[in-house]
Amino acid sequence: MTSTRRPFNFSPGPAAVPEEVLTQVAAEMLDWQGSGMSVMEMSHRGKEFGAIHEAAERDLRELLQVPANFRILFMQGGGLGENAIVPLNLSRGGAVDVVVTGAWSRKSAGEARRYADVKIASDSANADGRYQTLTAPASWQLRREASYVHVCTNETIDGLEFHQLPDLKALGSDAPLAIDCSSHILSRSLDWSRVGLAFAGAQKNIGPAGLTLVAVREDLLGHALPICPSAFNYQTVAENHSMFNTPPTFAIYVAGLVFQWIKRFQYAGKTGLAAIEQRNIDKAALLYQALDGSSLFENRVAPEARSRMNVPFFLRDERLNDDFLAGAKARGLLQLKGHKSVGGMRASIYNAMPMEGVQALVSYLKDFETQHG
Ligand code: PMP
């Protein structure tokens, strides 16, 4: 452990990694457990990496309670890659329904359109084109023939989160739900009974960029379009245990350490994912309360749709933005600038953000308001 505190990093991704994990990675960098090799120097087919890979998959399955009829794939391509890879595998060239709730689902719809007949089942933009609310699933216009329905369960840029997954069956649809959970995976439990496929880039809640996690129900394998690249064909990847091509080995190793960190995490009398989820609930409540109680700052997302992970906020006097960011940096509060399409600020408070980081941000908000209010 380092003795001086590192700054608190509010980056939306690539994002903060638990310090304990970084310390372990540093300690094992030159010689992983007496092997004489760094993990990045190991053959992906060797027994050392084989053990790392197996443990990572087992721990992820255990943490998220992934059912036995789902295959876990460690892939490359990132979230935007999956926007193409999912329709290439699931659409059969037919109908795809997309629920647009923000910037990322809108992008997903655009990419899927290259391979499938896409219909926007719902678009929750307001008159200014902003995303500040979620539409009720009962209002979605779902097509009977849809091969799948795409939902982004946490909109990283706009700061909206589904706190309950839609139950498509209850809405009369047999289509599998495909979710982009890139920016809240492992921040909470996941109801697999409502999901056919979940994907997530690793660089927010898990570890280094370059790794993409996919969990796909077995019956959805084997329907890829002929133009689908072999390395992105879920069935091929599954049959080869994510070793059809060289997987992002170092990122899988770090992800595995993060999974172990979550497994032993303790908070409020809970352990593991339940503890992480509780701390995420508490961190988000603290920050939203501070914003709602302020006359200088505001969050504009409808309370029931607010993300626990990404909290966009605005200064009512935008001329103070630069001062705010400079003062934040001076206090060791990094990467708070909002996405350019939304403006203002955004605090991403993923799993690795300690409660102390949110407390430090809240106390800065109060001090800044006292100075400028
Ligand atoms: N989906 C979501 C929800 C995201 O937050 C992001 C990245 N911010 C992406 C997709 C795109 O990921 P990538 O840059 O890895 O393609």
Side-chain angles (χ1 to χ4, degrees), residues 156-369:
T156 323
I157 291 177
D158 310 274
L160 294 108
E161 181 171 8
F162 281 81
H163 293 290
Q164 246 194 336
L165 291 179
D167 182 355
L168 296 188
K169 274 207 185 61
L171 299 172
S173 164
D174 287 328
L177 178 68
I179 61 169
D180 174 358
C181 56
S182 294
S183 49
H184 73 164
I185 185 171
L186 284 168
S187 71
R188 59 192 305 156
S189 59
L190 206 161
D191 181 354
W192 293 98
S193 71
R194 297 189 173 181
V195 170
L197 177 143
F199 72 81
Q203 67 269 29
K204 295 154 195 311
N205 246 340
I206 297 177
L211 167 65
T212 316
L213 298 170
V214 177
V216 54
R217 221 173 54 207
E218 269 166 357
D219 62 286
L220 300 175
L221 298 173
H223 305 291
L225 298 177
I227 57 162
C228 180
S230 307
F232 294 148
N233 183 320
Y234 290 142
Q235 185 171 35
T236 308
V237 179
E239 279 171 355
N240 289 278
H241 196 43
S242 302
M243 296 277 179
F244 175 74
N245 55 347
T246 310
T249 51
F250 196 77
I252 291 172
Y253 154 67
V254 180
L257 297 182
V258 172
F259 301 156
Q260 288 167 19
W261 174 79
I262 297 175
K263 278 177 70 173
R264 59 178 187 266
F265 190 81
Q266 303 211 332
Y267 179 80
K270 300 177 179 174
T271 303
L273 192 63
I276 282 282
E277 177 164 3
Q278 187 59 53
R279 190 174 72 162
N280 286 332
I281 291 170
D282 294 350
K283 285 182 325 197
L286 180 64
L287 182 50
Y288 284 114
Q289 268 163 27
L291 294 168
D292 288 346
S294 157
S295 53
L296 185 61
F297 301 98
E298 62 173 343
N299 169 275
R300 297 173 184 161
V301 176
E304 68 283 1
R306 286 173 169 179
S307 168
R308 291 176 188 162
M309 299 282 101
N310 310 99
V311 184
F313 60 95
F314 300 87
L315 282 84
R316 287 177 210 265
D317 180 354
E318 298 250 305
R319 288 169 307 179
L320 295 173
N321 281 1
D322 290 344
D323 276 0
F324 177 81
L325 286 169
K329 194 167 176 200
R331 285 194 182 205
L333 307 173
L334 305 183
Q335 308 204 68
L336 280 163
K337 195 173 163 107
H339 190 272
K340 59 184 184 305
S341 66
V342 173
M345 309 297 150
R346 173 174 44 164
S348 293
I349 49 175
Y350 298 119
N351 288 350
M353 175 61 64
M355 181 60 86
E356 295 73 34
V358 178
Q359 285 164 343
L361 174 59
V362 165
S363 88
Y364 176 52
L365 295 177
K366 291 194 170 136
D367 291 351
F368 193 86
E369 182 160 347

Side-chain angles (χ1 to χ4, degrees), residues 22-68:
L22 293 176
T23 306
Q24 186 174 348
V25 170
E28 294 179 339
M29 184 60 78
L30 297 184
D31 181 5
W32 182 80
Q33 299 193 4
S35 65
M37 297 178 277
S38 173
V39 175
M40 74 177 88
E41 301 173 308
M42 290 174 183
S43 164
H44 59 300
R45 303 195 189 279
K47 77 171 177 358
E48 292 89 352
F49 185 74
I52 290 170
H53 179 199
E54 257 175 47
E57 183 170 334
R58 196 175 50 239
D59 287 341
L60 178 63
R61 193 175 282 279
E62 180 187 324
L63 279 169
L64 274 181
Q65 301 277 293
V66 182

